[in-house]
Amino acid sequence: MKSFDQKFLMMVLLLVAAIAPISKAFGQAPQPSPEKKEAASSTESRPASVLFDEANTYVNKKFEEFNKQKLQYDEKLEAKTKQEQKDLAAKNVAALRSRKSLTGADLYYLGMLNHVAGNGDEALEAMQRYLSTRPEEDNAQVARAVVVLYTTRKDLVPEAESAVSAYAQTKPQVLMEWFGMENLITQALRKSKDYDRMALHAREMLKVARLVAAAKNSNPFKRDDLLFKATSLIAEAEVFSNKKAAAIATVVELRKMALTLPSGNLFRLANISLMSLDRSIDPRSIFDEAAPAVAPALPELNATQWIDQLPVKLPELRGQVVLLDFWAPWCGPCRNTFPKLQKWHESYKDKGLVILGLTTYFGEANGRKLTHGEELAYLRAFKKTNKLPYGFVVSDSPLNELNYGVFSIPMSFLIDRSGNLRFISIGGSATEIAALGKMLETVVAEPGPPATQAQVSATLTK
């Protein structure tokens, strides 16, 4: 049963939400009826911020009421509630207009009320007036986002560029809002076929996406989406400008970024983009490149339980080859990889290969609900039944999948003796398994870092 929850809430203050077109065309605010004029007069004494908050929170409060009443989702009721919000915003706009003069912050709230009411032209005019007198206030950043929204809709791109430039030079900044502003301008330039300027703003999108990627606690899949969207728009602009080689280079850089993060999800998206540009390119050619001199730090493993493997941190495995295999007992393709994993373990365990099978508590198995203790016993039995000789890493959260961008399983990450991520294997096809096996053979044959070799020599002489 669907309910009126956050799925249907509109965050009018975020430009990302504003990217979706508002169905109502620009126009003058509706003239209030005598009854509405009377209601408006009763609100004239309230501050403009209160009038805006009343309209802005209307839908949220109504949906909370519907949830408390346990109402079943009704599309018509949702539409009616949102229209009521617009009508309330229009009424409060009329209340503000009835005042002798509006200056400063009142102009900001007038603009936001017009924004909620769907009056684009009036929202733009109010925000422009506000910014002309209060460009340093915190609300000025939201005002600039509204200006970009409506100027791009009116093909006033230079004004939008001026607003986003001011946004980039002013604090505070909401990265998602900033990204959305650059995206609106990029799309407007794409529409006008101004591909050089389109590429310029798409690169600004990528710059902001990198800031999102560097931020603590950022959602990895949202991060990947932003990086991929920005890169795709840069490459598209370059293709339209007859710079195909540059477009390919742009996507190749995205693949390298996927390895550095790391993210199997982003790597897959980048490969799809690369194949759309030139199907003759081998998507695995990137793994033939020399590993960096200094290995980027990889996310540490999150483990609730270790099975047939002592707890270990990745830096402690330097000097060994590590294969992180993401899997689940219910995954058919994962089971198809078991024979190869068994063979690789037996062939390379004495040469330093460590295979770690990463899985998560799912709370059930074979259609039966299980406690963590019961599921752990099930995993131990599963391991024995399938004769899997390597260790398992079991987590009670999806943190490992998020940290490595694992969107599907099986997915494997091959780490060399120096700690470099050297291969990402996606899926369980015969071709993919063969490619992983070939790279595994190569990496196992490579010598370890000098420090490791010195440690080994010292150990042998004892």
Side-chain angles (χ1 to χ4, degrees), residues 101-114:
S101 63
L102 294 176
T103 59
D106 286 352
L107 287 171
Y108 168 78
Y109 292 113
L110 176 64
M112 291 306 296
L113 278 167
N114 274 302

Side-chain angles (χ1 to χ4, degrees), residues 402-415:
L402 289 172
N403 285 342
Y404 282 84
V406 176
F407 68 97
S408 67
I409 50 177
M411 187 178 293
S412 299
F413 296 78
L414 179 62
I415 305 167

Side-chain angles (χ1 to χ4, degrees), residues 10 20-26 83 86 118 153:
M10 298 182 65
I22 298 175
S23 59
K24 184 175 181 180
F26 297 144
Q83 184 58 51
K86 286 189 174 186
R153 289 187 180 184

Side-chain angles (χ1 to χ4, degrees), residues 104-330:
D106 286 352
L107 287 171
Y108 168 78
Y109 292 113
L110 176 64
M112 291 306 296
L113 278 167
N114 274 302
H115 175 57
V116 176
N119 302 327
D121 286 351
E122 295 190 12
L124 176 59
E125 189 269 340
M127 289 309 192
Q128 288 171 330
R129 289 173 59 196
Y130 169 70
L131 287 170
S132 69
T133 59
R134 302 290 182 90
E136 301 300 326
E137 290 187 351
D138 286 352
N139 285 336
Q141 292 292 68
V142 177
R144 292 183 178 104
V146 174
V147 167
V148 171
L149 171 64
Y150 292 112
T151 51
T152 51
R153 289 187 180 184
K154 295 166 70 68
D155 294 325
L156 302 174
V157 175
E159 291 185 40
E161 289 178 316
S162 177
V164 79
S165 177
Y167 189 98
Q169 299 172 43
T170 309
K171 302 290 184 180
Q173 295 159 347
V174 178
L175 294 180
M176 292 302 300
E177 188 171 70
W178 188 1
F179 184 92
M181 295 165 74
E182 291 289 0
N183 180 53
L184 284 172
I185 297 173
T186 301
Q187 298 294 347
L189 293 168
R190 179 177 185 270
K191 181 180 178 182
S192 65
K193 300 182 179 181
D194 189 342
Y195 299 123
D196 287 340
R197 288 167 69 202
M198 173 188 170
L200 177 66
H201 285 281
R203 289 191 181 92
E204 288 298 302
M205 291 172 64
L206 182 58
K207 180 180 77 174
V208 178
R210 287 177 180 272
L211 292 176
V212 172
K216 292 182 179 180
N217 302 320
S218 63
N219 182 297
F221 288 96
K222 186 63 179 178
R223 170 205 68 197
D224 290 355
D225 180 60
L226 298 182
L227 290 169
F228 178 68
K229 185 180 184 70
T231 300
S232 297
L233 287 169
I234 295 170
E236 182 181 359
E238 289 170 334
V239 168
F240 284 138
S241 299
N242 297 315
K243 301 175 183 176
K244 184 176 178 180
I248 292 174
T250 295
V251 178
V252 168
E253 282 302 310
L254 183 66
R255 294 206 303 163
K256 291 179 180 178
M257 193 185 308
L259 290 177
T260 302
L261 287 172
S263 173
N265 174 54
L266 186 60
F267 186 73
R268 178 188 69 94
L269 292 172
N271 277 342
I272 292 173
S273 181
L274 189 63
M275 292 300 95
S276 70
L277 291 170
D278 189 342
R279 298 194 64 85
S280 68
I281 297 177
D282 180 2
R284 299 186 181 90
S285 60
I286 191 173
F287 299 122
D288 296 331
E289 298 180 9
V294 179
L298 293 172
E300 198 47 71
L301 303 181
N302 176 265
T304 303
Q305 190 71 41
W306 300 77
I307 301 178
D308 296 340
Q309 168 67 52
L310 293 175
V312 66
K313 295 185 180 299
L314 290 180
E316 297 171 356
L317 294 174
R318 290 289 176 90
Q320 296 174 283
V321 176
V322 181
L323 181 62
L324 304 180
D325 179 61
F326 286 82
W327 73 287
W330 44 261

Side-chain angles (χ1 to χ4, degrees), residues 41-52:
S41 65
S42 67
T43 66
E44 288 181 3
S45 62
R46 289 189 292 166
S49 60
V50 174
L51 295 178
F52 168 65

Side-chain angles (χ1 to χ4, degrees), residues 31-44 87 90-92 94-95:
Q31 294 298 314
S33 63
E35 292 80 6
K36 288 186 177 181
K37 285 183 178 180
E38 181 180 352
S41 65
S42 67
T43 66
E44 288 181 3
D87 293 342
K91 183 194 77 170
N92 288 352

